[in-house]
Amino acid sequence: MLGEQRVQHLFFPSTRAECIRILRLRLGFTQGEVAEKLGLSREQVSKMETSFLHVSETLWDFMLDQAYRQLYSDKNVSYEDFKSTVSRLIHNRAKEDRHG
């Protein structure tokens, strides 16, 4: 299993929307660049980052794939394990936020 502390240093948001924004900035993409790569408008990306629109699976998968390729250094961990750990961390953080 992927070490959670190794992922936590990349980001530790409580929502997918926050995660997308943090990753985009960390990876050096503008909203427009992400939108162009995925066939979305910049406004759609902006609204997903601010939770006005649900984060699409296409955007979610793209950003996690880019983070795995460019930011995560342990290639002995599969992409699926990486993705699963990130989702679990977000879920746990959201639960902590709800329970103060």
Side-chain angles (χ1 to χ4, degrees):
M1 181 161 64
L2 177 62
E4 289 185 12
Q5 289 199 355
R6 294 181 67 122
V7 174
Q8 287 178 8
H9 85 277
L10 294 175
F11 48 83
F12 192 50
S14 62
T15 67
R16 278 188 170 192
E18 288 177 43
C19 183
I20 292 304
R21 182 176 179 278
I22 290 166
L23 284 176
R24 180 184 57 75
L25 293 171
R26 184 89 190 249
L27 291 162
F29 290 124
T30 66
Q31 289 176 338
E33 289 169 333
V34 170
E36 186 176 318
K37 290 176 185 294
L38 299 176
L40 302 169
S41 70
R42 189 204 59 77
E43 291 77 18
Q44 286 174 301
V45 173
S46 175
K47 287 179 180 182
M48 285 184 218
E49 286 184 356
T50 55
S51 298
F52 285 104
L53 283 178
H54 177 73
V55 174
S56 72
E57 288 303 312
T58 302
L59 178 57
W60 179 244
D61 288 340
F62 172 77
M63 295 308 291
L64 286 183
D65 179 67
Q66 292 298 307
Y68 178 74
R69 291 171 186 257
Q70 296 182 38
L71 302 176
Y72 190 71
S73 60
D74 187 352
K75 298 307 180 197
N76 294 318
V77 174
S78 73
Y79 171 71
E80 289 304 317
D81 285 344
F82 176 82
K83 184 177 176 180
S84 173
T85 299
V86 169
S87 294
R88 187 175 68 254
L89 288 170
I90 291 170
H91 174 78
N92 290 345
R93 171 69 191 280
K95 193 163 56 172
E96 287 174 8
D97 287 354
R98 283 191 303 270
H99 300 310

